[in-house]
Amino acid sequence: SQQGEEDPQALSIQEGENATMNCSYKTSINNLQWYRQNSGRGLVHLILIRSNEREKHSGRLRVTLDTSKKSSSLLITASRAADTASYFCATAQGDSNYQLIWGAGTKLIIKP
Amino acid sequence: NAGVTQTPKFQVLKTGQSMTLQCAQDMNHEYMSWYRQDPGMGLRLIHYSVGAGITDQGEVPNGYNVSRSTTEDFPLRLLSAAPSQTSVYFCASSPLGQGAPRGYTFGSGTRLTVV
């Protein structure tokens, strides 16, 4: 069962532009996490945001969380070719703050 | 610091064969898990463990067994391979103690094809 659903499924932008990906979920969460997966590789943890937080930053990444709308967004500013990857959101819900349910991901392509 | 190590990276099995996918982590993480990733889908949890001697089923456990005899190792066994088990398998770990949750550390994956 998928908890998070990313939108859009695919995104293609020019290098230097900002990229925004969205994640919606269905039930209340303890935390929401974003991961990156380069083609053929394992996933890499980017940011974790707790249910009582509204925004977090890490370098060129900005994550927001709106629990009233059950949604989160990941903003990558000043995109680079190396940002080309799939991005996944995952949510921890119920009694667990570590067991994750995953969305299907957004495929991001940065054109040089 | 190796992180999470998965072996093998690639494997081709014939239907009915059995095999073990290895996963080892050197970060003393309590939580370890196995996922499969199929095209167009998110990760689906197969089995997980919150410590040595403790395992539990995830969303898609049928056809797979796990054991956790040490903190470091969490092997996944395919009992009798079927074409439906063709997938990419990922092992992930996470600490559970103070400061958790902190996100998962993933291995590089095992690409399994069952013919």
Side-chain angles (χ1 to χ4, degrees):
Chain A
S1 61
Q2 288 182 246
Q3 165 76 316
E5 294 186 6
E6 288 92 342
D7 171 58
Q9 291 185 328
L11 179 62
S12 181
I13 61 173
Q14 292 293 138
E15 193 168 19
E17 293 180 339
N18 295 342
T20 299
M21 288 158 273
N22 302 297
C23 171
S24 60
Y25 56 91
K26 298 182 180 123
T27 62
S28 62
I29 61 170
N30 297 313
N31 66 75
L32 184 146
Q33 303 179 29
W34 285 92
Y35 289 77
R36 182 187 74 235
Q37 183 180 34
N38 292 93
S39 181
R41 310 289 287 273
L43 284 78
V44 175
H45 180 253
L46 297 176
I47 289 183
L48 181 153
I49 187 165
R50 290 175 168 78
S51 59
N52 61 353
E53 297 175 316
R54 291 297 167 258
E55 188 170 312
K56 285 191 86 169
H57 297 256
S58 177
R60 294 183 296 113
L61 306 181
R62 172 177 168 252
V63 167
T64 61
L65 178 64
D66 187 335
T67 53
S68 67
K69 295 182 179 178
K70 292 186 170 58
S71 67
S72 173
S73 66
L74 170 66
L75 169 68
I76 303 174
T77 60
S79 63
R80 305 167 181 169
D83 295 328
T84 293
S86 291
Y87 292 81
F88 294 87
C89 73
T91 53
Q93 57 176 316
D95 295 335
S96 174
N97 65 357
Y98 58 86
Q99 199 77 287
L100 298 179
I101 300 178
W102 297 79
T106 291
K107 185 160 187 165
L108 175 65
I109 296 173
I110 309 298
K111 297 179 287 186
Chain B
N1 49 344
V4 177
T5 302
Q6 286 185 240
T7 56
K9 292 192 184 305
F10 301 94
Q11 183 70 49
V12 178
L13 286 180
K14 293 182 179 178
T15 297
Q17 285 185 320
S18 62
M19 78 160 294
T20 299
L21 280 62
Q22 301 292 344
C23 175
Q25 53 94 7
D26 60 358
M27 299 168 286
N28 204 33
H29 286 173
E30 296 90 345
Y31 180 79
M32 295 186 75
S33 54
W34 277 102
Y35 288 93
R36 60 178 290 172
Q37 184 178 37
D38 299 295
M41 302 183 71
L43 298 177
R44 290 186 292 168
L45 182 64
I46 304 171
H47 286 284
Y48 67 96
S49 168
V50 296
I54 305 169
T55 63
D56 208 345
Q57 296 181 351
E59 181 186 356
V60 288
N62 292 341
Y64 308 94
N65 273 354
V66 291
S67 60
R68 184 98 180 265
S69 56
T70 66
T71 300
E72 294 78 19
D73 299 300
F74 191 44
L76 177 71
R77 296 183 191 84
L78 278 70
L79 308 174
S80 177
S84 61
Q85 293 179 305
T86 293
S87 187
V88 181
Y89 291 83
F90 288 101
C91 180
S93 72
S94 175
L96 292 180
Q98 191 172 6
R102 276 186 271 152
Y104 290 4
T105 300
F106 278 84
S108 57
T110 295
R111 187 173 294 272
L112 175 68
T113 301
V114 182
V115 298

